[in-house]
């Protein structure tokens, strides 16, 4: 397995694609279309061109994870995705419109172009139903909480966790990304417990890299619980920023997290969760 740094916003350690070197090469996560040129360059360094990639798995349809999927679908690739995300790859109008509200005039600069994918190129996953690609076994595991359309992938002893397994950059903490609209902390914790049962040796978050599993999942659950306690006690954005700062001892790493996991989006997603699931009950 190779980790490919997509050099998002000309910064390393923000977004990864994962290449599984096998009889038929498999790519997990495409990153956004804005980094597609860099991805093709890195694949060439590994002796591959785009036509060699016939199987692309995306953990979910957020643009930093699947935005370049259509580029691979234009050639030989099948795109494997959660059933709730498939329709948005086939017809991305609502996905783009929603992202436009969040990112406004920065959308294209950050993520590039988004084009529809032919439905014949989209493979809809089944929860915990193994897929065998020329001897490489991939187990999709549906993991709502960060997004309704999220799946993780268990390959050998590696768990590719997208955003459901948190963000972990360099020596930074394991943080839960919480953009709107699908954040559900109870579902998220249940999903993490589901992943723990497979006892992976390695956890591979798209933001960023692969780490020994150790206490990764337990630390993430602890941090999610701390987020819930915070939002129950305060709905003030400035206080939220101070709360996030308490997790970091290295300010330079904190800046990496802001690129991968913007503070304002986290606050909006967490506040929405508070209004729907906590404040109304």
């Amino acid at each position: 397995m190779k980790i490919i740094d997509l050099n998002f916003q000309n910064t390393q350690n923000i977004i990864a694609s994962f290449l599984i070197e096998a009889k038929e090469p498999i790519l997990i996560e495409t990153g956004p279309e804005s980094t597609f040129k860099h991805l093709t360059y890195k694949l060439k360094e590994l002796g591959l061109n785009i036509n060699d990639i016939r199987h692309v798995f995306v953990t979910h349809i957020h643009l930093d994870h699947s935005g370049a999927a259509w580029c691979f679908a234009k050639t030989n690739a099948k795109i494997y995705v959660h059933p709730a995300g498939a329709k948005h790859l086939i017809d991305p109008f609502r996905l783009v419109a929603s992202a436009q509200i969040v990112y406004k005039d920065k959308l294209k600069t950050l993520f590039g172009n988004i084009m529809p994918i032919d439905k014949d190129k989209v493979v809809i996953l089944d929860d915990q139903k193994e897929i065998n690609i020329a001897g490489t076994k991939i187990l999709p595991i549906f993991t709502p909480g960060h997004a309704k359309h999220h799946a993780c992938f268990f390959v050998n002893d590696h768990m590719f966790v997208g955003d459901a397994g948190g963000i972990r950059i360099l020596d930074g903490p394991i943080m839960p990304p919480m953009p709107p609209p699908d954040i559900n902390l109870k579902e998220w914790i249940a999903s993490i417990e589901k992943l723990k049962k497979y006892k992976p040796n390695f956890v591979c978050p798209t933001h960023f890299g692969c780490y020994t599993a150790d206490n990764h999942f337990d630390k993430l659950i602890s941090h999610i619980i701390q987020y819930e306690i915070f939002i129950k006690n305060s709905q003030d954005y400035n206080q939220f920023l101070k709360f996030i700062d308490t997790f970091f001892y290295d300010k330079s790493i904190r800046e990496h997290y802001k690129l991968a996991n913007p503070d304002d989006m986290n606050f909006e997603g967490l506040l929405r969760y508070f209004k729907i699931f906590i404040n109304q009950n």
Side-chain angles (χ1 to χ4, degrees):
M1 190 275 294
K2 291 288 193 303
I3 302 170
I4 300 175
D5 191 330
L6 298 181
N7 201 35
F8 181 66
Q9 297 293 286
N10 296 313
T11 306
Q12 294 182 334
N13 302 303
I14 303 298
I15 303 177
S17 285
F18 303 96
L19 177 68
I20 299 173
E21 298 176 303
K23 184 177 180 180
E24 293 188 21
I26 298 163
L27 192 71
I28 297 178
E29 307 285 58
T30 69
E33 192 269 345
S34 59
T35 61
F36 179 68
K37 185 176 180 179
H38 183 79
L39 174 56
T40 59
Y41 173 77
K42 300 303 288 187
L43 288 172
K44 285 180 181 178
E45 285 190 333
L46 296 169
L48 298 170
N49 61 47
I50 298 306
N51 291 324
D52 294 322
I53 307 296
R54 300 187 178 185
H55 306 279
V56 174
F57 288 75
V58 293
T59 59
H60 58 305
I61 60 167
H62 291 167
L63 298 180
D64 54 333
H65 294 256
S66 70
W70 67 271
C71 301
F72 288 93
K74 281 176 59 180
T75 56
N76 290 330
K78 295 284 188 180
I79 311 299
Y80 298 75
V81 66
H82 189 288
K87 61 184 179 181
H88 297 292
L89 295 184
I90 296 166
D91 180 4
F93 177 81
R94 288 181 60 191
L95 175 64
V96 174
S98 177
Q100 188 77 60
I101 294 171
V102 175
Y103 294 101
K104 301 180 175 60
D105 58 348
K106 296 180 180 178
L107 180 64
K108 189 168 184 178
T109 301
L110 289 172
F111 302 115
N113 297 309
I114 311 297
M115 301 294 289
I117 297 174
D118 190 303
K119 65 180 180 181
D120 294 334
K121 295 288 187 77
V122 176
V123 179
I124 295 176
L125 300 167
D126 290 318
D127 186 25
Q128 300 175 92
K129 183 176 180 180
E130 190 174 78
I131 297 170
N132 191 322
I133 298 174
T136 300
K137 296 177 181 179
I138 299 176
L139 184 71
I141 305 165
F142 290 1
T143 44
H146 169 80
K148 295 176 182 177
H149 46 79
H150 199 291
C152 296
F153 303 111
F154 194 34
V155 186
N156 297 323
D157 57 352
H158 287 64
M159 186 70 78
F160 297 91
V161 294
D163 281 344
I167 288 177
R168 187 175 181 179
I169 298 174
L170 301 171
D171 293 325
I174 303 163
M175 301 295 280
M178 296 195 172
D182 292 343
I183 297 303
N184 185 317
L185 302 189
K186 287 183 172 55
E187 285 188 351
W188 199 339
I189 290 173
S191 291
I192 296 168
E193 294 290 354
K194 185 177 179 181
L195 294 176
K196 285 173 61 178
K197 293 178 182 178
Y198 289 92
K199 298 181 179 179
N201 288 325
F202 298 95
V203 175
C204 305
T206 304
H207 315 285
F208 172 94
C210 279
Y211 305 85
T212 55
D214 296 332
N215 296 318
H216 179 100
F217 291 125
D218 289 333
K219 289 178 181 177
L220 178 58
I221 289 173
S222 173
H223 291 170
I224 290 172
I225 291 170
Q226 289 180 56
Y227 271 65
E228 184 163 27
I229 291 170
F230 170 84
I231 202 65
K232 285 179 178 178
N233 291 296
S234 175
Q235 295 82 54
D236 179 82
Y237 181 60
N238 290 325
Q239 290 300 315
F240 177 73
L241 294 179
K242 292 178 181 178
F243 164 70
I244 298 301
D245 284 341
T246 63
F247 290 90
F248 292 87
Y249 65 88
D250 188 326
K251 291 183 179 180
S252 64
I253 291 179
R254 173 80 168 96
E255 293 306 310
H256 279 70
Y257 278 71
K258 288 179 181 179
L259 279 177
N261 189 31
D263 293 325
D264 55 347
M265 289 182 58
N266 281 312
F267 182 71
E268 289 174 17
L270 189 60
L271 187 61
R272 187 176 187 276
Y273 172 79
F274 171 78
K275 291 177 179 177
I276 294 174
F277 295 102
I278 298 177
N279 198 36
Q280 292 183 358
N281 295 327

